[in-house]
Amino acid sequence: TSLSTSTLITMSSHHWLLAWLGLELNTLSILPMIIKPHHPRATEAATKYFLIQAAAAALILFSSTLNAWQTGHWSITNISTPAATVTITIAIMLKLGIAPTHAWYPEVLQGATMNTALILSTWQKLAPLTLLYLMKNSLPNSLILTIGALSILVGGWAGLNQTQTRKIMAMSSIAHMGWLIIALNMSLDIATMTLAVYILLTTTMFTSFNITTTKTLADLGVTWPQSPVLFVIMLITLLSLGGLPPLTGFAPKWLILTSLCHTKLFMLSVMIVIASLPSLFFYIRMTYLATLTAPPNTTNAQHKWRHKMSHPWALGPIMVMAGLLLPLTPLMAT
């Protein structure tokens, strides 16, 4: 059911009620996946997720009804009421977990399994982002840019004191969503490329964490003996998430900053570059902890205690793309 949500929203580009129905299907479809482990933390995460998503959906229904009452139409692409536009924008930000409505997001990811956290960080973003794409011409530009800059700042600073990998990835997601909605305000092509790169890098990291069962920063120290090649590429992907120049993650940030400079938004450009430095710091800190700190020695026992790891067939290609797509930037941005 969850797979049909984005299709339903795209088909409903002229009617808010069908879009709202798609969002509700999306929410109700993911809840059994979050609650499946039958653990109190999973139950808590599912409850938090349901309450937040239901509140956001109610706000969307309220504001679209208000818009229809005042204008006489239910069109998503043309919202002429300022109050409805701002309310819908805030509701979608709540659904995406963007600052300042982000507090629920790390907690829900921490209570879910790695695979469910991956779905929450990638697939569940598509439906609200589709609505933002359709509303592009009606969005309040100053509000979008302010929320985007705030998300980049909060995602970086709040991730500095985290030790759980899922919470670190949640903060990383908040910061990347900030970059994405700033890109959405500039150019749809750059925004689409930013989203594709974000999904690629996030999928690579969560899959690597899941294979190596890396749940905390302390677990990074014992990951090397399990699969050295996987480990090295995982660290390269971390640096790519931070946006270091030779890697794929640099491309969207480069294009967004270029676009901001072309529109004379120099102060915003400088601010989001400085705000993204804490994010880069905790990615580099994870790399440091994994490579330059002394891990426990491997056991001398005759029988290995580690289980044989299963590598998904798609992991190899996405890991290569996570690090080496920068030369294809002109092709991706057109």
Side-chain angles (χ1 to χ4, degrees):
T1 309
S2 182
L3 295 176
S4 64
T5 307
S6 293
T7 308
L8 185 58
I9 288 181
T10 307
M11 290 169 58
S12 64
S13 59
H14 295 295
H15 210 289
W16 268 112
L17 278 180
L18 284 176
W20 172 80
L21 177 63
L23 291 172
E24 287 298 288
L25 279 173
N26 204 8
T27 300
L28 294 175
S29 301
I30 196 72
L31 287 176
M33 298 177 69
I34 300 174
I35 209 170
K36 184 177 178 288
H38 300 293
H39 189 277
R41 188 170 288 169
T43 308
E44 180 186 344
T47 306
K48 286 178 179 175
Y49 186 78
F50 171 73
L51 291 175
I52 293 294
Q53 298 295 315
L59 273 178
I60 289 174
L61 188 60
F62 165 73
S63 47
S64 57
T65 306
L66 179 65
N67 183 64
W69 178 40
Q70 295 190 359
T71 62
H73 63 78
W74 289 86
S75 174
I76 297 176
T77 52
N78 183 21
I79 303 176
S80 51
T81 311
T85 306
V86 172
T87 310
I88 287 178
T89 304
I90 292 172
I92 293 176
M93 299 306 161
L94 184 58
K95 275 191 164 292
L96 287 171
I98 293 179
T101 57
H102 66 283
W104 64 272
Y105 188 60
E107 301 299 324
V108 170
L109 252 61
Q110 182 61 29
T113 61
M114 281 290 181
N115 287 331
T116 308
L118 169 61
I119 295 171
L120 288 171
S121 299
T122 54
W123 182 261
Q124 294 300 101
K125 306 282 189 189
L126 295 183
L129 284 172
T130 304
L131 291 178
L132 281 182
Y133 271 53
L134 293 171
M135 291 171 57
K136 182 182 184 299
N137 296 326
S138 307
L139 292 175
N141 292 338
S142 56
L143 178 63
I144 290 292
L145 293 176
T146 304
I147 289 177
L150 184 62
S151 294
I152 296 169
L153 182 65
V154 169
W157 282 104
L160 289 175
N161 64 341
Q162 301 297 337
T163 58
Q164 301 286 330
T165 52
R166 275 168 290 191
K167 284 194 175 182
I168 288 175
M169 291 304 296
M171 295 305 171
S172 164
S173 176
I174 291 167
H176 278 87
M177 283 295 114
W179 283 95
L180 179 56
I181 63 168
I182 288 176
L184 190 63
N185 210 36
M186 299 288 112
S187 162
L188 284 180
D189 291 335
I190 296 177
T192 306
M193 187 197 121
T194 306
L195 177 61
V197 170
Y198 162 75
I199 290 176
L200 174 69
L201 297 178
T202 306
T203 303
T204 306
M205 285 312 306
F206 271 113
T207 309
S208 304
F209 286 152
N210 193 33
I211 290 172
T212 57
T213 60
T214 304
K215 296 179 181 178
T216 64
L217 293 182
D219 294 339
L220 281 170
V222 294
T223 307
W224 170 263
Q226 297 183 44
S227 179
V229 176
L230 173 65
F231 182 71
V232 169
I233 299 179
M234 184 171 77
L235 298 184
I236 292 173
T237 309
L238 269 176
L239 298 179
S240 185
L241 268 173
L244 286 184
L247 304 170
T248 305
F250 176 65
K253 295 184 178 181
W254 177 24
L255 292 173
I256 291 167
L257 290 171
T258 305
S259 182
L260 285 173
C261 290
H262 285 163
T263 51
K264 310 296 183 189
L265 293 170
F266 299 114
M267 282 301 296
L268 178 64
S269 303
V270 172
M271 192 168 73
I272 64 175
V273 167
I274 294 173
S276 64
L277 288 178
S279 294
L280 181 59
F281 172 77
F282 66 69
Y283 295 131
I284 292 177
R285 186 183 61 182
M286 289 176 74
T287 311
Y288 169 80
L289 287 172
T291 55
L292 299 179
T293 53
N297 293 324
T298 52
T299 176
N300 294 321
Q302 184 178 2
H303 300 290
K304 294 292 184 185
W305 57 268
R306 295 184 183 89
H307 298 291
K308 183 174 174 59
M309 294 187 299
S310 60
H311 294 81
W313 63 270
L315 185 60
I318 65 171
M319 281 192 150
V320 172
M321 288 190 290
L324 301 177
L325 282 186
L326 186 62
L328 299 180
T329 302
L331 183 63
M332 292 189 292
T334 54

